[in-house]
Amino acid sequence: MTIREKLIKIRDDSGLSQQEFAEKLEVSRQTVARWESGKSQPSSVQVIKICKEFGLDANALLSDASDLKELDPHKDDAQPEKNSNVKKALLPAAIALLILIALIGFIITIIYGVKDASFDTTATVWIIAVPQNTPMIVLSLFLGAFIILLTVLLIYLIKRGKK
Amino acid sequence: MKKFFIAAACVILTLFCFPSSACTEKENDNLGLFVFLSVRMKGNGDGTLTAVAKNEFALGSAPMPITLTLYYSANHDGLTNMTETETVSSEGLEIFETAEINYEIQSEGFYCAQISYFVKGEEKFLRSAVIGYDKQGNRTE
């Protein structure tokens, strides 16, 4: 695909007339007509301006590549931007999850507190299938995992802050 | 962050696998990962006493057989001197299921609720505090 064809394609894809295209690039309509007819080619300064205006890669515009998708102004940027958005959303999601877990624990504790208050005495036991049958082992493992989780989150936040 | 969440998920899964692997079917027929049992007691103020045993939460376990017993003593001198007033048994207490004793108070004194259950073939007990009630079922001590 020649640069002439690529320019026509860019203009068509943008839905601009030759006049509007020319105004955007601060050249005359005749100049655009000459580019599209192949009578002349944009100068290097004009190529940079076209690329800047339409978010294109200059190499893709000047190369002989026939695949017009290469000229898609959003092609290269879209994926990293999407990944970046996902990364940005992960931290609030993780924090929201931790808050939700804490909130559920808080509500359950209140429910149990209210329930226990209606009785004169309450005794409870966790029967856990570990060799020593002690809830403390499992509790300490869970707390350990929670501490690791928070530490990793803190390290991540510090690293992010440095960036 | 992705690696972090995968690592966190692995840790949590390991925590669940550890206790479950420690318990074989041969060691205990009923106990799964864990069971949370409770025993409660209250005077109703109408001459009755209620003792409740509940399977509060269970994970991976079969119904938990328990026996709920209500003990009475005229004096507060320990569980050994208390006499059994009423007993109710459950062949298998399902999750959130309760076993209950509603006892009509015969005389003022001290009461205690106890549940017995088996863990790895060994009988274990969970007892409430010893509480004093008058004949109307009001707490005295």
Side-chain angles (χ1 to χ4, degrees), chain A residues 90-91 94 112 115-116 118-131 133 141-142 145 149 152 156, chain B residues 4-5 8 15 19 23 31-43 54 56 117 119-120 127 129 133 139:
Chain A
L90 271 176
L91 184 64
Y112 265 88
K115 194 176 162 186
D116 281 350
S118 67
F119 286 87
D120 295 325
T121 174
T122 302
T124 54
V125 63
W126 284 95
I127 309 160
I128 300 171
V130 291
N133 190 22
L141 285 172
F142 272 100
L149 211 76
V152 173
Y156 172 78
Chain B
F4 154 64
F5 278 112
L15 292 181
C23 178
L31 198 60
L33 198 58
F34 59 80
V35 185
F36 183 33
L37 290 177
S38 73
V39 61
R40 292 181 169 87
M41 186 173 69
K42 67 174 176 181
K54 187 175 182 186
E56 300 279 357
Y117 54 93
V119 175
K120 297 174 186 176
R127 294 182 188 107
Y133 291 100
R139 188 173 177 169

Side-chain angles (χ1 to χ4, degrees), chain A residues 37 72 81 92 147:
Chain A
S37 63
D72 185 346
E81 196 178 323
I147 289 164

Side-chain angles (χ1 to χ4, degrees), chain A residues 24-162:
Chain A
K24 217 171 172 58
L25 300 172
E26 295 172 339
V27 294
S28 66
R29 192 198 62 77
Q30 288 79 5
T31 304
V32 173
R34 277 202 297 277
W35 291 346
E36 291 187 0
S37 63
K39 286 177 184 166
S40 70
Q41 285 195 351
S43 67
S44 54
V45 175
Q46 286 162 336
V47 167
I48 291 167
K49 193 156 180 68
I50 293 166
C51 291
K52 202 176 170 186
E53 281 293 330
F54 296 94
L56 302 173
D57 178 20
N59 289 330
L61 182 65
L62 297 170
S63 72
D64 292 332
S66 58
D67 189 1
L68 268 175
K69 281 182 181 174
E70 286 180 32
L71 297 173
D72 185 346
H74 304 298
K75 188 202 169 193
D76 293 335
D77 299 339
Q79 198 58 36
E81 196 178 323
K82 197 178 172 185
N83 287 341
S84 169
N85 286 340
V86 169
K87 278 182 183 174
K88 276 180 190 170
L90 271 176
L91 184 64
I95 292 169
L97 186 70
L98 288 175
I99 291 171
L100 184 71
I101 291 167
L103 203 64
I104 290 168
F106 181 64
I107 290 166
I108 290 171
T109 307
I110 288 174
I111 290 168
Y112 265 88
V114 169
K115 194 176 162 186
D116 281 350
S118 67
F119 286 87
D120 295 325
T121 174
T122 302
T124 54
V125 63
W126 284 95
I127 309 160
I128 300 171
V130 291
Q132 290 79 17
N133 190 22
T134 165
M136 289 303 136
I137 290 175
V138 174
L139 183 64
S140 60
L141 285 172
F142 272 100
L143 285 174
F146 192 64
I147 289 164
I148 290 166
L149 211 76
L150 288 179
T151 309
V152 173
L153 196 66
L154 187 70
I155 291 166
Y156 172 78
L157 286 173
I158 291 166
K159 278 187 178 176
R160 203 180 166 202
K162 277 183 185 173

Side-chain angles (χ1 to χ4, degrees), chain B residues 42-50 70 86 101-108 111 133-139:
Chain B
K42 67 174 176 181
N44 300 313
D46 58 355
T48 62
L49 238 174
T50 302
L70 186 69
E86 204 166 320
I101 289 174
N102 275 303
Y103 177 72
E104 205 165 307
I105 298 173
Q106 307 296 321
S107 51
E108 187 177 325
Y111 292 85
Y133 291 100
D134 61 19
K135 225 178 165 186
Q136 282 72 47
N138 296 313
R139 188 173 177 169

